[in-house]
Amino acid sequence: MASAKEGPRGMFLDGQELTVTGREHRTLLDPATNRPIATVPTGTKEDARAAVESAAKAFGASGWAAPDGQKRVQVLGRIAQALAERWEEFARLETLNQGKPLRESKGDVLYAARTLEYYAGLADKIQGETIPVPGDRLDYTLREPLGVTVHIAPWNYPLQLAVRSVAPALAAGNAVVLKPASWTPLTALSFARLATECGLPPGLLNVVLGSGSEVGEALVTDRRVASVSFTGSPGVGRRIGELAASRVVPVTLELGGKGPNIVFSDADLERAARGVSFGIFLNAGQMCWAGSRLLVQEEVKERFLSRVKELALKLKLGPGLEPGVEMGPLVTREHRAVVEGYVTRGVEEGAVPLVGGPGAALSPGLEAGNFLAPTIFDAVTPGMTIAREEIFGPVLCAMSFRTPEEALALANDSDYGLLAGVWTRDLSVAHRMARGLEAGMVSVNEYPVTFPQTPFGGFKQSGLGFEQGSRALEFYTRQKNVNVNFAPARPPRT
Ligand code: TAP
């Protein structure tokens, strides 16, 4: 079990965690108390280069990329099973480092295990096709791994989002370098150790630590790196996209969101209220796919909001490791200050807090942590900053609409397009909304939801490409066309 303190940890290179002394370190803090929990070395460009070197060597020498994929099926399957069995250790570590309630961390760990299991099952099914062409020819395609793939992960789902792209990359036969977010590297390090114990050859999964601007950019610009999978903020995503474009390597960008959760008056309103509350207060709202804009049909708005308000007031805030806690702290003091800034801005621009708001009181005992009361704003208009920008905290912005057309126009009036929710009993409305919504994912009568086998990605500023699902494997392979002329040899000219 993870203790309340982890002590020094190191980078994971070439199959080993290297705890070294005499280097610059970062002290990680428990978001619930701001007490130190572990130290990790601050990586440099040289560390990034060493991680890529380790991956490049392993890609060439380990036999991992063998076309039949049998070893990959077996090893990834073992990792999936071990992670599921050891969920508690990983969940406790995630909560200690990131702050979310233990039951959410448990869900994240089991989701990661299921993702590994899913891609283990596909690792020996990566195949090309034969293409009919004229004459005595056989034309076929091969799908080959790319080589060294880089994965840059955020802090809101540290393990789950790292595994989401690492699993298909490994399943396709690549060697991986993972850079977790600087504040939340612990589960990624433990995962790399677990994978090695389960038989993953050394060098196939390297975890390099350090700042995005130094280590992240050194990885993206390394000429041995064949692809970049990035999950994080739109600004950094654009920068990574530019760097990757200058080297002509493929990228997936999973960026932000401003999810509309649209409630029609005919919906099961109790179920919808619970879904809306879950969709914004889960993970203290630190989710790209948070349902942060509530659009509710005018005739039920007052009744509906009062129920969501009741649910918000009942949420038990506290340290994620305490039993019964439903909402944990925000990840860092700095991030809490950003979210508080949005709450203040909301009031300045004329929104009305129904719950929470600037300086909202917290239960005694929570002062030392990064806790923030859930906030619900009414009287929000589409032009307000809180209606347009991603807040990444427990802040719900409510607006109303009269007709499905008006709901669509409001929902689509955003730079983002990740997940949109629709709550109705009318199938015709549900499908028409699903067609009209400018979002990479639409969920009807539950929010949020995704599975390892379904694509996850956004439109507009929410990203480029997608993760998850069987077709995500295509991103981690390259296609080669082979043409064979088998026409009989002509008799030699005399
Ligand atoms: P970012 O600041 O963008 O950080 C994400 C990762 O990128 C971290 O590992 C970070 O390292 C690294 N990074 C920062 N600058 C970099 C650079 N110049 N080059 C290469 N890497 C760099 O995001 P965040 O604050 O951790 O996460 C919040 C944002 O992520 C939100 O906008 C949210 O919507 C988005 N997000 C999106 C999704 C999906 S699936 N669309 C999922 C989760 C989060 P450091 O930690 O060292 O800065």
Side-chain angles (χ1 to χ4, degrees):
M1 289 220 180
S3 60
K5 216 166 167 183
E6 277 289 302
R9 301 287 305 260
M11 301 195 215
F12 198 93
L13 299 188
D14 212 11
Q16 301 179 53
E17 188 167 332
L18 310 166
T19 37
V20 282
T21 49
R23 288 190 55 162
E24 243 186 79
H25 276 72
R26 176 187 285 263
T27 301
L28 304 179
L29 305 176
D30 176 351
T33 59
N34 281 308
R35 289 199 202 109
I37 53 167
T39 56
V40 288
T42 314
T44 60
K45 286 182 183 145
E46 287 68 41
D47 294 310
R49 274 197 281 277
V52 175
E53 181 68 32
S54 160
K57 255 181 27 207
F59 180 71
S62 63
W64 184 249
D68 69 312
Q70 197 184 350
K71 186 169 181 183
R72 302 196 295 274
V73 173
Q74 290 165 349
V75 173
L76 291 176
R78 281 204 294 274
I79 303 171
Q81 195 181 347
L83 186 60
E85 283 167 7
R86 286 169 59 180
W87 72 261
E88 188 168 1
E89 170 191 341
F90 277 82
R92 284 184 171 275
L93 189 58
E94 195 77 301
T95 291
L96 183 68
N97 194 183
Q98 198 271 356
K100 63 178 71 182
L102 190 59
R103 65 178 188 186
E104 289 185 28
S105 294
K106 176 182 180 183
D108 293 0
V109 174
L110 294 179
Y111 192 100
R114 174 70 189 117
T115 303
L116 285 153
E117 184 181 59
Y118 175 72
Y119 284 109
L122 292 176
D124 60 354
K125 297 168 191 70
I126 299 168
Q127 55 202 32
E129 54 189 353
T130 56
I131 303 170
V133 291
D136 286 339
R137 293 187 183 89
L138 173 65
D139 194 288
Y140 63 93
T141 60
L142 295 171
R143 292 214 79 97
E144 301 174 339
L146 300 172
V148 178
T149 60
V150 157
H151 306 251
I152 300 179
W155 48 255
N156 60 341
Y157 289 89
L159 180 69
Q160 187 188 323
L161 294 186
V163 169
R164 182 176 73 170
S165 71
V166 164
L170 287 173
N174 299 286
V176 161
V177 178
L178 167 65
K179 195 208 90 63
S182 292
W183 285 112
T184 55
L186 295 181
T187 46
L189 291 169
S190 295
F191 176 71
R193 198 155 58 191
L194 176 91
T196 307
E197 286 163 12
C198 290
L200 187 73
L204 286 173
L205 172 54
N206 304 279
V207 182
V208 61
L209 308 178
S211 78
S213 51
E214 180 170 352
V215 171
E217 295 209 7
L219 292 173
V220 177
T221 51
D222 191 307
R223 60 175 191 78
R224 294 163 297 180
V225 166
S227 76
V228 180
S229 304
F230 171 77
T231 303
S233 57
V236 174
R238 272 191 287 274
R239 168 86 184 137
I240 288 178
E242 282 163 15
L243 291 174
S246 70
R247 295 191 42 241
V248 200
V249 294
V251 279
T252 57
L253 303 174
E254 295 282 4
L255 309 177
K258 193 72 193 171
N261 224 340
I262 307 165
V263 180
F264 286 89
S265 57
D266 73 322
D268 175 340
L269 292 180
E270 177 57 23
R271 188 169 156 197
R274 289 179 183 277
V276 165
S277 167
F278 185 69
I280 186 64
F281 300 130
L282 179 73
N283 203 358
Q286 302 166 113
M287 303 179 286
C288 51
W289 65 348
S292 51
R293 288 183 297 151
L294 167 63
L295 311 182
V296 54
Q297 206 157 18
E298 205 166 77
E299 56 266 37
V300 292
K301 183 178 171 210
E302 213 179 302
R303 180 154 60 101
F304 188 77
L305 274 183
S306 90
R307 181 63 184 134
V308 181
K309 176 178 160 182
E310 246 171 49
L311 292 170
L313 286 170
K314 273 202 223 149
L315 280 177
K316 185 176 175 204
L317 267 63
L321 288 173
E322 270 183 20
V325 162
E326 293 165 305
M327 196 173 105
L330 299 186
V331 69
T332 57
R333 272 199 194 111
E334 293 73 17
H335 183 57
R336 183 183 63 182
V338 171
V339 178
E340 281 174 329
Y342 277 111
V343 172
T344 306
R345 185 83 182 259
V347 172
E348 285 166 2
E349 291 185 355
V352 177
L354 298 178
V355 186
L362 292 166
S363 313
L366 301 183
E367 304 80 7
N370 312 321
F371 293 93
L372 191 70
T375 293
I376 301 176
F377 276 120
D378 193 6
V380 176
T381 55
M384 286 180 185
T385 309
I386 55 168
R388 305 209 72 79
E389 294 186 11
E390 185 178 43
I391 299 176
F392 227 58
V395 182
L396 181 65
C397 300
M399 292 174 259
S400 64
F401 66 87
R402 281 182 292 263
T403 62
E405 292 69 32
E406 205 182 320
L408 262 186
L410 274 173
N412 290 340
D413 180 18
S414 172
D415 292 338
Y416 293 107
L418 192 58
L419 174 63
V422 179
W423 299 82
T424 178
R425 289 186 166 105
D426 185 329
L427 270 181
S428 162
V429 169
H431 286 294
R432 278 194 293 134
M433 293 298 290
R435 283 206 177 166
L437 281 162
E438 290 170 15
M441 299 173 285
V442 176
S443 183
V444 179
N445 293 334
E446 60 180 327
Y447 195 106
V449 70
T450 186
F451 303 95
Q453 59 269 42
T454 59
F456 192 112
F459 294 173
K460 303 195 270 189
Q461 295 299 304
S462 289
L464 188 67
F466 58 88
E467 304 278 2
Q468 298 190 159
S470 59
R471 293 185 56 196
L473 281 169
E474 288 173 15
F475 178 77
Y476 296 104
T477 57
R478 59 188 183 187
Q479 180 168 260
K480 180 182 281 173
N481 191 76
V482 181
N483 176 68
V484 182
N485 186 320
F486 58 86
R490 292 200 185 123
R493 283 197 189 146
T494 51

